[in-house]
Amino acid sequence: LVVVLCLQGLVLRNICRDGLHATGGLEKEGLSSLQCIAELDQNLALYRLHAYELMFIQESERPAKVARLEALQATNAVVLQRLQALFPSGDGAACLQELDARLSAYVQTMARLRGQMDKDFTGAMAVLDNEVPGKVKQLQDASARLKEYCAGFAATRVRQTVDSFGSINKAVFWLG
């Protein structure tokens, strides 16, 4: 009887440890990645809005708007670093690299456009009409791929967590 009880204890301990690991992965990686994606989406939308507004505001308001853009870009960099810590390799890292490259290209294009506004308004409007829509589309596509990857990753962690609870339930039933 003592041997059976010890065996039950070891089996339940291992199953509970697996469940704890799966739950921890869901909390640490799955939910964190979704939170980062939501924050990044919000920041990207605000960045695009402020970058566009910057072209048409009074000269006296520009420094404050530029400061907001720089703060948003710094926040985006921090969020991307948090995501890179969660996904240092594999498909997640590839999605992050693509998004980072697309964001950098968009930021550079908008900076070039702002630099042209006072010197060559017609040229700046050509950049706005011809280049910016493509950069925005590429940025949105890269963001959507990363979002899809993170949602799939979180769903996998949820499945693992639910499966581990199912294993605990079965073990308790069979071990009585």
Side-chain angles (χ1 to χ4, degrees):
L1 181 64
V2 171
V3 172
V4 170
L5 289 175
C6 288
L7 182 62
Q8 282 179 334
L10 288 174
V11 169
L12 286 176
R13 180 175 163 258
N14 288 338
I15 291 172
C16 288
R17 187 180 58 227
D18 291 345
L20 182 62
H21 175 71
T23 304
L26 172 62
E27 180 183 1
K28 180 181 175 267
E29 297 165 337
L31 297 178
S32 292
S33 67
L34 293 177
Q35 181 183 24
C36 287
I37 288 297
E39 185 178 354
L40 192 60
D41 268 355
Q42 180 181 4
N43 289 346
L44 291 175
L46 286 172
Y47 188 92
R48 287 182 48 221
L49 175 67
H50 291 315
Y52 186 76
E53 288 175 341
L54 187 59
M55 294 181 290
F56 302 103
I57 62 173
Q58 297 286 329
E59 187 66 36
S60 61
E61 297 174 23
R62 282 189 183 179
K65 190 67 75 171
V66 168
R68 284 189 207 133
L69 279 176
E70 290 171 354
L72 281 169
Q73 185 57 19
T75 301
N76 287 339
V78 169
V79 173
L80 286 171
Q81 287 175 347
R82 287 193 334 239
L83 282 165
Q84 287 168 346
L86 291 173
F87 307 116
S89 61
D91 292 340
C95 289
L96 281 166
Q97 288 173 345
E98 180 188 9
L99 179 62
D100 193 24
R102 300 299 183 203
L103 179 57
S104 293
Y106 175 75
V107 168
Q108 289 170 0
T109 300
M110 293 306 289
R112 187 167 44 88
L113 186 140
R114 283 193 310 274
Q116 273 186 301
M117 286 294 289
D118 295 328
K119 299 173 194 164
D120 178 17
F121 187 78
T122 305
M125 289 300 104
V127 169
L128 181 64
D129 292 341
N130 299 327
E131 292 182 41
V132 172
K135 300 290 184 194
V136 168
K137 174 82 169 103
Q138 292 171 348
L139 181 60
Q140 288 173 331
D141 290 348
S143 179
R145 280 188 286 281
L146 180 61
K147 201 180 311 181
E148 183 179 321
Y149 176 81
C150 288
F153 186 84
T156 298
R157 290 298 193 190
V158 167
R159 246 185 333 276
Q160 289 172 343
T161 301
V162 170
D163 291 346
S164 70
F165 287 128
S167 296
I168 292 169
N169 186 29
K170 287 177 188 175
V172 168
F173 177 77
W174 287 109
L175 297 174

